[in-house]
Amino acid sequence: MKNIILIGFMGAGKSAVGRYISDNTEYKIIDTDYYIEKKENCKISEIFAEKGEEYFREAETKALEDILKFRNNSYVISVGGGLPMREENRVLMHKLGTVIYLRATVDTLENRLKGDTKRPLLQGGDIREKITALMEKREAVYESAADAVIDTDNKEFEDVFKEIKEIVK
Ligand code: S3P
């Protein structure tokens, strides 16, 4: 089974859908944020605070390179929301497998993300404004980076999974 790479904004459900797939199929999950936290032995928020965002972005590219080296088939790989913004990362993702954009509206994202304390880019200030501003920068990149787009608003993981199965079959 070809690898599946899930991209999308924070709160789009990439990790949760990835886990659902790995719980219900032969696919094994890799989450780039989790991978980086284990490799650096440090939480993402601490990496941002202590080493800066650029360091984290480098770590994301290295994570994709690592995954590509030990790559086999049958992985579902959920990547951090900012990872597709680097062109080299988009090239690496396409080498890995089928890239699927899990899309959600600002309303949905705001609902899912309000009260979040783990994501450095959303702390302080008005969360809706932060989501809107980042989405404006990112949406076109997500769309052009993806082999397929799935709207996730008001859908259960199972529904999203069914759509993913149709895409990769
Ligand atoms: C980020 C998204 C986060 C994490 C980091 C930066 C981003 O991952 O990589 O906080 O730039 O959108 P999730 O998309 O899994 O929340």
Side-chain angles (χ1 to χ4, degrees), residues 16-109:
V17 169
R19 266 196 310 276
Y20 183 91
I21 295 173
S22 74
D23 286 347
N24 289 283
T25 67
E26 307 274 289
Y27 280 96
K28 292 170 286 239
I29 185 157
I30 304 176
D31 182 298
T32 56
D33 284 346
Y34 183 74
Y35 183 87
I36 292 167
E37 286 187 337
K38 288 285 149 217
K39 199 171 166 192
E40 299 280 327
N41 197 20
C42 202
K43 293 271 166 222
I44 303 290
S45 55
E46 289 161 3
I47 299 175
F48 267 72
E50 287 160 23
K51 299 189 169 156
E53 181 170 351
E54 204 42 40
Y55 181 91
F56 176 72
R57 298 301 172 199
E58 282 301 319
E60 288 189 311
T61 301
K62 281 192 207 125
L64 283 184
E65 286 166 350
D66 288 354
I67 295 165
L68 199 56
K69 271 187 223 142
F70 67 72
R71 145 189 77 141
N72 269 305
N73 286 331
S74 304
Y75 277 96
V76 56
I77 304 157
S78 67
V79 307
L83 181 148
M85 301 309 287
R86 273 197 179 186
E87 193 188 348
E88 60 183 314
N89 294 349
R90 297 197 288 275
V91 172
L92 289 166
M93 289 193 300
H94 284 293
K95 284 189 186 161
L96 275 168
T98 305
V99 180
I100 301 180
Y101 171 27
L102 300 186
R103 184 162 57 191
T105 59
V106 171
D107 282 343
T108 299
L109 295 172

Side-chain angles (χ1 to χ4, degrees), residues 148-162:
V149 181
I150 298 178
D151 285 308
T152 63
D153 303 282
N154 306 315
K155 283 185 192 155
E156 304 290 337
F157 299 145
E158 194 180 354
D159 304 324
V160 177
F161 174 47
K162 276 186 196 146

Side-chain angles (χ1 to χ4, degrees), residues 8-11 14-15 33 44 48 53 56-57 60 79-82 118-121 138 142:
F9 203 80
M10 297 169 262
K14 303 171 301 256
S15 306
D33 284 346
I44 303 290
F48 267 72
E53 181 170 351
F56 176 72
R57 298 301 172 199
E60 288 189 311
V79 307
K118 292 194 184 131
R119 293 171 169 99
L121 298 182
R138 292 180 173 182
Y142 290 150

